[in-house]
Amino acid sequence: MSTRAVQAGAAAAVLGPYLERLRTELEIPVDYPADALAEAEAAASRSFEAGPGRQDLRELPFVTLDPVGSRDLDQAFFLRRVDDAVGSGIDDVAAYEVFYAIADVAAFVEPGGALDAETHRRALTVYGPDGRYGLHPAVLSEGAASLLPDVDRPAIVWRMRLDGSGELVGDIDVRRSIVRSRAQLDYPAVQRQLDEGTAGELLQLLAEVGQLRIDAQFARGGATLEVPDQEIERSNDGARYTLVLRKALACEEFNAQLSLLTGIAAARLQRRAGVGIWRTLDPARDEDVDRLRRVAITLGFEWSPGKSYAEFVRTIDSSQPEHAAFATEATRLFRGAGYVAFGTPANPEVPSDASHSAIAAEYAHVTAPLRRLVDRYGTEIALAFCAGEPAPAWVVDALDALPGEMADGSRRANAYERETVDLLEAVLLEPLLGEELDGIVVESSPTGGADGGQAKATVLLRDPAVRARLVGDASALELGSAVRVRVEAADPEKRAVTLSVA
C-alpha cells in the first residue's frame, strides 16, 4: 500500500485505549490463569523422540506457508509425484502423494488439566490489530508446539494419495511423527515465484494439486468466491493503522485446498469410525439463489437458468466494481455454519445429511489445533481409527459440548473483528468530517417507506477502505454504481460513522 495511506492512518496510541475497552466489553480472554500457564511452560520443556508410536519423518523436506510474520504455525506440507515415491507401494491409480503435518497439540495439553479447561473457555485464538489472544499460551503456540523451521517438532502427519484429477484414492494414513520444517514461506514471496516462473518443484506441485482440488470442488457442486477482505494493516514501525482491501493470492487458495483435502479425509475416517464432529454449512435456499440471480441480472451479468451457482461464480472477478457488488451479495447466500457431533451416548448415529454445502462434502476441522479447539479432538479420532483403536474416552466425553463452545468462541472472535473494524473506520473518518469521498455501492434495497425514491445502501469507500451504510436517493445508490459521499459524523466512542450522498 502507499506510504501516504499509512501516514493518513490512525495512530496506534490513539486506538489502543479503545481496543482495550472493547476487549473488556466483549470479554475477550487476555491473561491465562497461573495454573494453566504453569502447565504450558512445563509442557514446553518436554522432549520428543522417534520410536514406538512416533515415526521419524525428518528426512521429508516439509515447508510451511502462512502470512508474513506468522509464528503460530499449525501446518507443514510436502508433495511429490507417485513416480518419485520409490518403494512406497502406492497403487498405480495414484498420481500424487500428499504429506500434511499438523502440530501435535495433544502432546502438550493434559486432558482434564488447567490448561485444557482454559482452552475450552477460549475455544479460538482471537486476532486483533495490536496482538493475538491465543487459544494456547505463546510458549506453546508460537514456540514448542509451532512447526517453526529448522527444529524438530512432534506432529500428526496425514499421508494421502490423489489420482490424476486430484481425488482421494486408497487408504488414508495418520500417525504421530517427528518432523523438521525446512523453510517458513510466506504468501507474497511464493506468489511472486509462481508468477515469475522461478518456483521450485514443490511449489509448482502445490499450484498443480491446488488447482485440481479447486476444480474437483466445483465439479462436486461446491463453490468458492473470493471477496476482497477489509483488513487492518499496521505500519512497519507499528505506530499507525489503516484499512485496506486485499484480494487473496492464488497460492493462498492452493494452500487452503490442502487443508480442505485433509478435512474431507478426516470426515471419511470419522464416518468409518462411527464417532466424530463435523463442520457443517446449510445449503442455500432456492429463494435466495433466485434473489441472487436477479441481482446478477441487474448488474448486467448473463446467468442462464440452466447454469448453477457454482458454475456461475467461476466467472466472477471481485476486483471489478460490479463483480465486487455481486460478491458482497453472494456472501449472504450460505448461512448456518456450525458443528455436529456423533458417536456419543446423546448422539449415537452418524448423520445422514450433515455436509458442508460450500465444500460439497462431509468435512471436519483438524488442521489448525494451535488456534481452534475442535481440531485437537478430530485429530485424535483419526489417529485412533488408523491405529485400530477406539477413540479415547476423554475425546468422546467432550464431543457433545464442543458445538456450543465453538459457537461461543466464534461469536466473541467475530464480534471483536467486526467492532475493531468499525472502531478504526470511525477513527479514520473523524478528521475528514465534511469531506467528500469516492465509493462503490455494494448493497442496495428500497427503504420500504412512504418515499419510494429512497434506498438503504452499503457503500465501500476507495481510500480509506471503509464499508458503511447510508440512506439516500435511490437513483444515486444503484447496486454496483460509483457514488460520491460526504462524511457527516464519525464517533469512535460509539464505533459509528454517518455518510450522505454528496
Side-chain angles (χ1 to χ4, degrees), residues 71-87:
R71 295 289 296 174
D72 50 345
L73 309 183
D74 289 284
Q75 314 108 10
F77 66 88
F78 171 65
L79 313 173
R80 63 187 175 190
R81 300 185 191 280
V82 165
D83 290 346
D84 299 329
V86 179

Side-chain angles (χ1 to χ4, degrees), residues 273-296:
V275 60
I277 182 165
W278 290 345
R279 180 64 164 168
T280 61
L281 180 65
D282 295 339
R285 300 181 303 176
D286 290 342
E287 56 266 36
D288 290 335
V289 176
D290 290 340
R291 176 192 59 79
L292 192 60
R293 191 183 298 271
R294 291 193 296 271
V295 168

Side-chain angles (χ1 to χ4, degrees), residues 109 187 258 347 441 446 448:
V109 179
Y187 291 124
L258 295 184
N347 298 284
V441 180

Side-chain angles (χ1 to χ4, degrees), residues 295-309:
V295 168
I297 293 171
T298 299
L299 290 169
F301 296 113
E302 292 185 8
W303 184 355
S304 64
K307 182 177 289 187
S308 69
Y309 168 76

Side-chain angles (χ1 to χ4, degrees), residues 302-382:
E302 292 185 8
W303 184 355
S304 64
K307 182 177 289 187
S308 69
Y309 168 76
E311 293 171 315
F312 176 70
V313 296
R314 299 202 77 171
T315 67
I316 297 299
D317 177 5
S318 56
S319 63
Q320 301 180 39
E322 294 84 359
H323 294 233
F326 175 85
T328 299
E329 287 288 320
T331 59
R332 299 160 54 189
L333 190 61
F334 295 102
R335 303 288 183 177
Y339 293 91
V340 59
F342 58 92
T344 69
N347 298 284
E349 300 301 321
V350 178
S352 59
D353 186 18
S355 66
H356 191 291
S357 56
I359 299 171
E362 293 169 346
Y363 174 66
H365 274 157
V366 293
T367 62
L370 288 175
R371 45 198 165 93
R372 195 169 51 206
L373 173 65
V374 69
D375 298 50
R376 173 158 49 108
Y377 290 85
T379 296
E380 293 303 310
I381 293 169

Side-chain angles (χ1 to χ4, degrees), residues 54-66 73-80 97-104 146-160 173-186 190 201-203 206 255 258 262:
R54 193 173 291 278
Q55 64 181 341
D56 189 346
L57 293 182
R58 285 174 290 187
E59 80 281 1
L60 295 182
F62 285 100
V63 298
T64 60
L65 178 55
D66 295 274
L73 309 183
D74 289 284
Q75 314 108 10
F77 66 88
F78 171 65
L79 313 173
R80 63 187 175 190
E97 189 172 28
V98 177
F99 292 86
Y100 206 54
I102 308 298
D104 188 356
S146 180
L147 301 184
L148 297 167
D150 302 321
V151 289
D152 294 349
R153 285 290 185 261
I156 311 301
V157 175
W158 293 70
R159 185 186 186 194
M160 298 165 286
D173 185 61
V174 188
R175 300 188 194 184
R176 283 200 150 86
S177 308
I178 294 288
V179 302
R180 188 178 183 90
S181 171
R182 300 298 196 271
Q184 181 177 348
L185 308 180
D186 64 74
V190 166
E201 182 180 9
L202 178 59
L203 296 182
L206 173 66
N255 196 36
L258 295 184
T262 308

